[in-house]
Amino acid sequence: MSFCLKLLDVYFQIMSITFPEFQLESHTQCSYDHLQIHDGPSASSYMLGKYCGNTPPNNGQPINSTHHQLYFWFLSDTSVASDGFTVQWTSADPG
C-alpha cells in the first residue's frame, strides 16, 4: 500500500478545484486505488468525496471548498497501474 497526503492552503481564501485528467483503478466502492478530498486541514474534516475509476471527481465540475484548506488523501494498492490525475485550482475571496 502507498499513501500520499497533500494539504492545499490558501490563507483567507476559498478554493475551486477541477481534474482535467483522472484515471485510477476502477472499483464499485473505490476499495483499492482512490482519492479522498476533505474540506479542511485533515482526514477528520468533512469528506467531499471518495473517487476512483476514469470519471473525474464531481463529473468534471468544480469542487468548491468552504474553508481555506483542502486535504487530499491518495491511496494505491500498487497492483494496477493507471495514469493518475491532475488537479487545477483557483482561489478567491470568500463571499
Side-chain angles (χ1 to χ4, degrees), residues 3-68:
F3 298 92
C4 180
L5 310 172
K6 179 65 178 168
L7 176 66
L8 287 181
D9 195 337
V10 289
Y11 290 102
F12 308 112
Q13 295 191 317
I14 57 173
M15 287 174 274
S16 179
I17 60 171
T18 56
F19 292 81
E21 298 176 31
F22 195 85
Q23 293 184 357
L24 300 179
E25 180 179 0
S26 293
H27 185 265
T28 54
Q29 297 176 355
C30 295
S31 296
Y32 306 112
D33 297 2
H34 65 268
L35 173 68
Q36 283 183 207
I37 304 171
H38 297 263
D39 191 13
S42 71
S44 63
S45 301
Y46 178 75
M47 186 170 68
L48 297 171
K50 182 177 180 180
Y51 307 98
C52 65
N54 296 324
T55 302
N58 204 29
N59 290 314
Q61 298 302 308
I63 296 173
N64 300 307
S65 70
T66 60
H67 303 283
H68 64 95

